[in-house]
Amino acid sequence: EQQLQERRSDAAAMPMVFMCAGCRRPVGDTSSWVLNDEESGCVLLRSVAASVAVDPERKVSKLPGEYGCMVETLFCSGCSRTLGSIYRCTSRNLDYKRDLFCFSIDSVE
């Protein structure tokens, strides 16, 4: 019984890895997890793996409720799949997303 509890405790301490849905390269893990934003369908992380490339060109978000937000697109360096975005300038109600990596739940496994 005690060994089973120790195994469960060890498993809970291990981070879960997020992988690109296209080529399955690791893109981040739960050790940098901030939150799940169910409304916008994304996972927010503080940091990402080296396999994530950031397009330095800033764009204005066209998503509903995000008008005026400046974002940079995140890509997988392995397969070039669009993974999400990083928010560089936000409206006051979206400040919690600023400088966080926002992965679309459809782009990661």
Side-chain angles (χ1 to χ4, degrees), residues 7-60:
R7 285 184 191 157
R8 286 182 183 159
S9 177
D10 289 345
M14 298 292 289
M16 183 175 69
V17 176
F18 296 105
M19 296 179 292
C20 171
C23 67
R24 301 190 41 89
R25 287 179 190 242
V27 296
D29 63 50
T30 53
S31 67
S32 67
W33 179 82
V34 177
L35 63 92
N36 278 356
D37 188 345
E38 291 183 24
E39 187 176 314
S40 62
C42 69
V43 175
L44 295 161
L45 304 178
R46 281 186 291 281
S47 61
V48 295
S51 60
V52 176
V54 180
D55 183 348
E57 181 183 342
R58 290 189 179 175
K59 300 173 184 164
V60 177

Short mmCIF file of all heavy atoms in Angstrom, two decimals, residues 7-60:
data_model
loop_
_atom_site.label_atom_id
_atom_site.label_comp_id
_atom_site.label_asym_id
_atom_site.label_seq_id
_atom_site.Cartn_x
_atom_site.Cartn_y
_atom_site.Cartn_z
N ARG A 7 4.42 5.71 -5.51
CA ARG A 7 4.41 5.76 -6.98
C ARG A 7 3.46 6.83 -7.48
O ARG A 7 3.76 7.57 -8.41
CB ARG A 7 4.03 4.41 -7.57
CG ARG A 7 5.11 3.39 -7.49
CD ARG A 7 4.70 2.12 -8.19
NE ARG A 7 5.63 1.06 -7.88
CZ ARG A 7 5.36 -0.21 -7.96
NH1 ARG A 7 4.16 -0.60 -8.35
NH2 ARG A 7 6.26 -1.11 -7.67
N ARG A 8 2.29 6.91 -6.88
CA ARG A 8 1.32 7.94 -7.28
C ARG A 8 1.87 9.33 -6.99
O ARG A 8 1.70 10.25 -7.79
CB ARG A 8 0.00 7.74 -6.54
CG ARG A 8 -0.80 6.59 -7.05
CD ARG A 8 -2.11 6.46 -6.32
NE ARG A 8 -2.84 5.29 -6.79
CZ ARG A 8 -3.78 4.70 -6.12
NH1 ARG A 8 -4.16 5.15 -4.94
NH2 ARG A 8 -4.39 3.64 -6.61
N SER A 9 2.54 9.51 -5.89
CA SER A 9 3.13 10.80 -5.54
C SER A 9 4.22 11.18 -6.54
O SER A 9 4.30 12.32 -6.98
CB SER A 9 3.71 10.74 -4.12
OG SER A 9 4.35 11.94 -3.80
N ASP A 10 5.07 10.21 -6.90
CA ASP A 10 6.13 10.46 -7.90
C ASP A 10 5.52 10.82 -9.25
O ASP A 10 6.00 11.72 -9.93
CB ASP A 10 7.03 9.24 -8.05
CG ASP A 10 7.92 9.02 -6.84
OD1 ASP A 10 8.06 9.95 -6.02
OD2 ASP A 10 8.47 7.90 -6.72
N ALA A 11 4.47 10.15 -9.66
CA ALA A 11 3.82 10.42 -10.94
C ALA A 11 3.20 11.80 -10.94
O ALA A 11 3.24 12.51 -11.95
CB ALA A 11 2.75 9.37 -11.24
N ALA A 12 2.63 12.22 -9.82
CA ALA A 12 2.02 13.55 -9.74
C ALA A 12 3.07 14.65 -9.83
O ALA A 12 2.79 15.74 -10.31
CB ALA A 12 1.21 13.68 -8.46
N ALA A 13 4.30 14.38 -9.39
CA ALA A 13 5.36 15.37 -9.41
C ALA A 13 5.98 15.53 -10.80
O ALA A 13 6.61 16.54 -11.08
CB ALA A 13 6.45 15.00 -8.42
N MET A 14 5.80 14.57 -11.67
CA MET A 14 6.37 14.61 -13.02
C MET A 14 5.55 15.56 -13.89
O MET A 14 4.33 15.48 -13.90
CB MET A 14 6.37 13.22 -13.65
CG MET A 14 7.21 12.19 -12.91
SD MET A 14 8.96 12.54 -13.00
CE MET A 14 9.25 12.16 -14.70
N PRO A 15 6.22 16.45 -14.62
CA PRO A 15 5.46 17.35 -15.49
C PRO A 15 4.88 16.62 -16.70
O PRO A 15 5.44 15.63 -17.16
CB PRO A 15 6.49 18.39 -15.93
CG PRO A 15 7.80 17.73 -15.75
CD PRO A 15 7.64 16.72 -14.66
N MET A 16 3.76 17.12 -17.18
CA MET A 16 3.16 16.60 -18.40
C MET A 16 3.74 17.41 -19.56
O MET A 16 3.85 18.63 -19.47
CB MET A 16 1.64 16.76 -18.35
CG MET A 16 0.95 16.19 -19.57
SD MET A 16 -0.85 16.23 -19.46
CE MET A 16 -1.17 17.97 -19.57
N VAL A 17 4.11 16.73 -20.62
CA VAL A 17 4.74 17.39 -21.77
C VAL A 17 3.69 17.68 -22.83
O VAL A 17 2.88 16.82 -23.17
CB VAL A 17 5.87 16.50 -22.36
CG1 VAL A 17 6.46 17.12 -23.61
CG2 VAL A 17 6.95 16.26 -21.31
N PHE A 18 3.72 18.91 -23.36
CA PHE A 18 2.88 19.29 -24.50
C PHE A 18 3.71 19.10 -25.75
O PHE A 18 4.86 19.51 -25.81
CB PHE A 18 2.44 20.76 -24.40
CG PHE A 18 1.57 21.06 -23.23
CD1 PHE A 18 2.08 21.73 -22.13
CD2 PHE A 18 0.24 20.66 -23.20
CE1 PHE A 18 1.28 22.01 -21.03
CE2 PHE A 18 -0.57 20.94 -22.11
CZ PHE A 18 -0.04 21.62 -21.02
N MET A 19 3.12 18.44 -26.77
CA MET A 19 3.82 18.18 -28.02
C MET A 19 3.06 18.78 -29.19
O MET A 19 1.83 18.90 -29.15
CB MET A 19 3.97 16.68 -28.22
CG MET A 19 4.82 16.03 -27.17
SD MET A 19 5.00 14.25 -27.39
CE MET A 19 3.35 13.71 -27.06
N CYS A 20 3.80 19.15 -30.23
CA CYS A 20 3.20 19.65 -31.46
C CYS A 20 2.29 18.57 -32.02
O CYS A 20 2.69 17.40 -32.14
CB CYS A 20 4.29 20.00 -32.46
SG CYS A 20 3.68 20.39 -34.11
N ALA A 21 1.07 18.93 -32.38
CA ALA A 21 0.13 17.96 -32.94
C ALA A 21 0.53 17.52 -34.34
O ALA A 21 0.08 16.49 -34.82
CB ALA A 21 -1.29 18.55 -32.97
N GLY A 22 1.43 18.28 -34.98
CA GLY A 22 1.87 17.92 -36.33
C GLY A 22 2.99 16.90 -36.33
O GLY A 22 2.88 15.85 -36.95
N CYS A 23 4.09 17.20 -35.62
CA CYS A 23 5.27 16.33 -35.68
C CYS A 23 5.64 15.73 -34.32
O CYS A 23 6.62 15.00 -34.23
CB CYS A 23 6.46 17.09 -36.25
SG CYS A 23 7.06 18.42 -35.19
N ARG A 24 4.90 16.06 -33.29
CA ARG A 24 5.06 15.53 -31.94
C ARG A 24 6.37 15.93 -31.26
O ARG A 24 6.85 15.26 -30.36
CB ARG A 24 4.86 14.02 -31.92
CG ARG A 24 3.47 13.65 -32.43
CD ARG A 24 3.03 12.25 -32.28
NE ARG A 24 3.34 11.58 -31.04
CZ ARG A 24 2.56 11.58 -29.95
NH1 ARG A 24 1.45 12.26 -29.95
NH2 ARG A 24 2.92 10.90 -28.89
N ARG A 25 6.96 17.04 -31.68
CA ARG A 25 8.12 17.58 -30.95
C ARG A 25 7.62 18.21 -29.66
O ARG A 25 6.55 18.82 -29.64
CB ARG A 25 8.83 18.66 -31.77
CG ARG A 25 9.61 18.14 -32.91
CD ARG A 25 10.25 19.29 -33.68
NE ARG A 25 10.80 18.79 -34.90
CZ ARG A 25 12.09 18.84 -35.20
NH1 ARG A 25 12.94 19.39 -34.37
NH2 ARG A 25 12.52 18.35 -36.33
N PRO A 26 8.38 18.12 -28.59
CA PRO A 26 7.96 18.77 -27.35
C PRO A 26 7.99 20.30 -27.51
O PRO A 26 8.95 20.83 -28.08
CB PRO A 26 8.98 18.30 -26.31
CG PRO A 26 10.06 17.61 -27.05
CD PRO A 26 9.61 17.36 -28.44
N VAL A 27 6.95 20.96 -27.04
CA VAL A 27 6.88 22.42 -27.14
C VAL A 27 6.83 23.10 -25.77
O VAL A 27 7.05 24.30 -25.67
CB VAL A 27 5.69 22.89 -28.02
CG1 VAL A 27 5.86 22.41 -29.46
CG2 VAL A 27 4.37 22.42 -27.46
N GLY A 28 6.55 22.34 -24.73
CA GLY A 28 6.50 22.89 -23.38
C GLY A 28 6.03 21.82 -22.41
O GLY A 28 5.76 20.69 -22.81
N ASP A 29 5.94 22.20 -21.14
CA ASP A 29 5.43 21.24 -20.16
C ASP A 29 4.71 21.97 -19.03
O ASP A 29 4.72 23.19 -18.97
CB ASP A 29 6.54 20.33 -19.61
CG ASP A 29 7.62 21.09 -18.87
OD1 ASP A 29 7.30 21.90 -17.98
OD2 ASP A 29 8.81 20.86 -19.18
N THR A 30 4.09 21.19 -18.17
CA THR A 30 3.24 21.77 -17.13
C THR A 30 4.05 22.47 -16.03
O THR A 30 3.46 23.16 -15.20
CB THR A 30 2.34 20.70 -16.49
OG1 THR A 30 3.14 19.61 -16.05
CG2 THR A 30 1.29 20.21 -17.47
N SER A 31 5.37 22.35 -16.02
CA SER A 31 6.16 23.08 -15.02
C SER A 31 6.09 24.58 -15.26
O SER A 31 6.36 25.37 -14.34
CB SER A 31 7.61 22.60 -15.00
OG SER A 31 8.26 22.93 -16.19
N SER A 32 5.74 25.01 -16.47
CA SER A 32 5.59 26.44 -16.75
C SER A 32 4.13 26.83 -17.01
O SER A 32 3.84 27.91 -17.49
CB SER A 32 6.46 26.85 -17.94
OG SER A 32 5.99 26.27 -19.13
N TRP A 33 3.21 25.92 -16.68
CA TRP A 33 1.78 26.14 -16.90
C TRP A 33 1.28 27.29 -16.04
O TRP A 33 1.61 27.41 -14.87
CB TRP A 33 1.03 24.86 -16.56
CG TRP A 33 -0.45 24.94 -16.71
CD1 TRP A 33 -1.14 24.80 -17.87
CD2 TRP A 33 -1.43 25.15 -15.70
NE1 TRP A 33 -2.50 24.91 -17.63
CE2 TRP A 33 -2.70 25.13 -16.30
CE3 TRP A 33 -1.34 25.37 -14.33
CZ2 TRP A 33 -3.86 25.31 -15.59
CZ3 TRP A 33 -2.51 25.55 -13.62
CH2 TRP A 33 -3.75 25.52 -14.26
N VAL A 34 0.46 28.16 -16.65
CA VAL A 34 -0.17 29.26 -15.94
C VAL A 34 -1.66 28.98 -15.79
O VAL A 34 -2.18 28.97 -14.68
CB VAL A 34 0.05 30.62 -16.66
CG1 VAL A 34 -0.68 31.74 -15.94
CG2 VAL A 34 1.54 30.92 -16.79
N LEU A 35 -2.34 28.72 -16.91
CA LEU A 35 -3.76 28.40 -16.84
C LEU A 35 -4.27 27.90 -18.17
O LEU A 35 -3.63 28.06 -19.20
CB LEU A 35 -4.59 29.60 -16.38
CG LEU A 35 -4.64 30.87 -17.24
CD1 LEU A 35 -5.81 30.83 -18.19
CD2 LEU A 35 -4.78 32.07 -16.34
N ASN A 36 -5.45 27.29 -18.14
CA ASN A 36 -6.22 26.93 -19.34
C ASN A 36 -7.25 28.02 -19.53
O ASN A 36 -7.99 28.31 -18.60
CB ASN A 36 -6.97 25.61 -19.15
CG ASN A 36 -6.12 24.41 -19.38
OD1 ASN A 36 -4.97 24.50 -19.75
ND2 ASN A 36 -6.70 23.27 -19.13
N ASP A 37 -7.30 28.60 -20.70
CA ASP A 37 -8.32 29.60 -21.00
C ASP A 37 -9.35 28.90 -21.89
O ASP A 37 -9.21 28.85 -23.10
CB ASP A 37 -7.71 30.80 -21.70
CG ASP A 37 -8.67 31.95 -21.87
OD1 ASP A 37 -9.90 31.74 -21.72
OD2 ASP A 37 -8.22 33.07 -22.17
N GLU A 38 -10.36 28.33 -21.26
CA GLU A 38 -11.36 27.55 -21.99
C GLU A 38 -12.16 28.42 -22.97
O GLU A 38 -12.56 27.95 -24.02
CB GLU A 38 -12.29 26.83 -21.02
CG GLU A 38 -11.57 25.74 -20.26
CD GLU A 38 -12.48 24.95 -19.35
OE1 GLU A 38 -13.70 24.92 -19.61
OE2 GLU A 38 -11.96 24.37 -18.39
N GLU A 39 -12.37 29.67 -22.62
CA GLU A 39 -13.14 30.56 -23.49
C GLU A 39 -12.46 30.76 -24.84
O GLU A 39 -13.11 30.72 -25.88
CB GLU A 39 -13.35 31.92 -22.80
CG GLU A 39 -14.29 32.83 -23.55
CD GLU A 39 -14.54 34.12 -22.78
OE1 GLU A 39 -14.80 34.04 -21.57
OE2 GLU A 39 -14.49 35.18 -23.41
N SER A 40 -11.14 30.94 -24.83
CA SER A 40 -10.42 31.13 -26.10
C SER A 40 -9.77 29.84 -26.59
O SER A 40 -9.14 29.85 -27.65
CB SER A 40 -9.37 32.23 -25.95
OG SER A 40 -8.40 31.88 -25.00
N GLY A 41 -9.90 28.74 -25.85
CA GLY A 41 -9.37 27.45 -26.30
C GLY A 41 -7.87 27.38 -26.34
O GLY A 41 -7.30 26.89 -27.31
N CYS A 42 -7.21 27.91 -25.29
CA CYS A 42 -5.75 27.86 -25.28
C CYS A 42 -5.20 27.51 -23.91
O CYS A 42 -5.89 27.60 -22.90
CB CYS A 42 -5.16 29.18 -25.78
SG CYS A 42 -5.39 30.57 -24.68
N VAL A 43 -3.94 27.08 -23.93
CA VAL A 43 -3.17 26.78 -22.74
C VAL A 43 -2.09 27.85 -22.65
O VAL A 43 -1.37 28.09 -23.62
CB VAL A 43 -2.52 25.38 -22.83
CG1 VAL A 43 -1.63 25.11 -21.64
CG2 VAL A 43 -3.58 24.31 -22.97
N LEU A 44 -1.96 28.50 -21.50
CA LEU A 44 -0.98 29.57 -21.32
C LEU A 44 0.21 29.05 -20.51
O LEU A 44 0.03 28.51 -19.41
CB LEU A 44 -1.61 30.76 -20.60
CG LEU A 44 -2.71 31.46 -21.39
CD1 LEU A 44 -3.59 32.29 -20.48
CD2 LEU A 44 -2.12 32.31 -22.47
N LEU A 45 1.42 29.25 -21.08
CA LEU A 45 2.66 28.84 -20.42
C LEU A 45 3.60 30.03 -20.28
O LEU A 45 3.59 30.93 -21.12
CB LEU A 45 3.38 27.75 -21.24
CG LEU A 45 2.61 26.48 -21.58
CD1 LEU A 45 3.47 25.56 -22.44
CD2 LEU A 45 2.17 25.77 -20.33
N ARG A 46 4.44 30.00 -19.23
CA ARG A 46 5.44 31.06 -19.02
C ARG A 46 6.65 30.90 -19.94
O ARG A 46 7.28 31.88 -20.31
CB ARG A 46 5.93 31.06 -17.57
CG ARG A 46 5.01 31.72 -16.59
CD ARG A 46 5.64 31.80 -15.20
NE ARG A 46 5.78 30.50 -14.56
CZ ARG A 46 4.80 29.85 -13.97
NH1 ARG A 46 3.61 30.37 -13.93
NH2 ARG A 46 5.01 28.66 -13.43
N SER A 47 7.00 29.65 -20.26
CA SER A 47 8.16 29.39 -21.10
C SER A 47 7.87 28.21 -22.01
O SER A 47 6.92 27.47 -21.78
CB SER A 47 9.40 29.12 -20.23
OG SER A 47 9.19 27.97 -19.43
N VAL A 48 8.70 28.07 -23.05
CA VAL A 48 8.49 27.01 -24.04
C VAL A 48 9.81 26.33 -24.36
O VAL A 48 10.89 26.81 -23.99
CB VAL A 48 7.87 27.58 -25.34
CG1 VAL A 48 6.48 28.11 -25.08
CG2 VAL A 48 8.75 28.66 -25.95
N ALA A 49 9.74 25.21 -25.07
CA ALA A 49 10.91 24.46 -25.50
C ALA A 49 11.59 25.16 -26.68
O ALA A 49 10.99 26.02 -27.35
CB ALA A 49 10.51 23.04 -25.89
N ALA A 50 12.83 24.76 -26.94
CA ALA A 50 13.60 25.35 -28.04
C ALA A 50 12.99 25.08 -29.41
O ALA A 50 13.30 25.77 -30.38
CB ALA A 50 15.04 24.84 -27.99
N SER A 51 12.10 24.10 -29.50
CA SER A 51 11.48 23.77 -30.79
C SER A 51 10.37 24.74 -31.18
O SER A 51 9.79 24.61 -32.26
CB SER A 51 10.94 22.34 -30.77
OG SER A 51 9.98 22.20 -29.75
N VAL A 52 10.08 25.72 -30.33
CA VAL A 52 9.05 26.72 -30.65
C VAL A 52 9.74 27.96 -31.20
O VAL A 52 10.63 28.52 -30.58
CB VAL A 52 8.22 27.09 -29.40
CG1 VAL A 52 7.22 28.20 -29.72
CG2 VAL A 52 7.51 25.87 -28.85
N ALA A 53 9.32 28.36 -32.39
CA ALA A 53 9.85 29.57 -33.03
C ALA A 53 8.81 30.68 -32.91
O ALA A 53 7.61 30.43 -32.97
CB ALA A 53 10.15 29.29 -34.50
N VAL A 54 9.30 31.90 -32.72
CA VAL A 54 8.42 33.06 -32.60
C VAL A 54 8.65 33.97 -33.80
O VAL A 54 9.77 34.39 -34.07
CB VAL A 54 8.70 33.85 -31.29
CG1 VAL A 54 7.78 35.05 -31.19
CG2 VAL A 54 8.55 32.95 -30.08
N ASP A 55 7.58 34.24 -34.54
CA ASP A 55 7.65 35.18 -35.67
C ASP A 55 7.80 36.58 -35.08
O ASP A 55 6.92 37.03 -34.34
CB ASP A 55 6.38 35.08 -36.50
CG ASP A 55 6.41 35.96 -37.74
OD1 ASP A 55 7.30 36.83 -37.86
OD2 ASP A 55 5.52 35.80 -38.59
N PRO A 56 8.90 37.28 -35.36
CA PRO A 56 9.11 38.60 -34.75
C PRO A 56 8.15 39.68 -35.25
O PRO A 56 8.06 40.75 -34.65
CB PRO A 56 10.56 38.94 -35.12
CG PRO A 56 10.84 38.13 -36.34
CD PRO A 56 10.00 36.89 -36.24
N GLU A 57 7.43 39.39 -36.35
CA GLU A 57 6.48 40.38 -36.87
C GLU A 57 5.24 40.43 -35.98
O GLU A 57 4.54 39.44 -35.81
CB GLU A 57 6.06 40.03 -38.29
CG GLU A 57 5.10 41.04 -38.89
CD GLU A 57 4.63 40.66 -40.27
OE1 GLU A 57 5.27 39.81 -40.92
OE2 GLU A 57 3.60 41.20 -40.69
N ARG A 58 5.00 41.59 -35.41
CA ARG A 58 3.81 41.76 -34.57
C ARG A 58 2.60 42.06 -35.43
O ARG A 58 2.67 42.82 -36.39
CB ARG A 58 4.03 42.89 -33.56
CG ARG A 58 5.04 42.49 -32.53
CD ARG A 58 5.14 43.47 -31.41
NE ARG A 58 6.13 42.96 -30.46
CZ ARG A 58 6.53 43.62 -29.42
NH1 ARG A 58 6.03 44.80 -29.15
NH2 ARG A 58 7.42 43.09 -28.60
N LYS A 59 1.50 41.45 -35.05
CA LYS A 59 0.24 41.63 -35.78
C LYS A 59 -0.85 42.02 -34.80
O LYS A 59 -0.79 41.68 -33.63
CB LYS A 59 -0.14 40.34 -36.49
CG LYS A 59 0.89 39.87 -37.49
CD LYS A 59 0.55 38.52 -38.05
CE LYS A 59 1.68 38.08 -38.97
NZ LYS A 59 1.65 36.69 -39.27
N VAL A 60 -1.86 42.67 -35.32
CA VAL A 60 -3.03 43.00 -34.50
C VAL A 60 -3.96 41.80 -34.53
O VAL A 60 -4.30 41.28 -35.59
CB VAL A 60 -3.75 44.25 -35.04
CG1 VAL A 60 -5.01 44.55 -34.23
CG2 VAL A 60 -2.82 45.46 -35.04
#
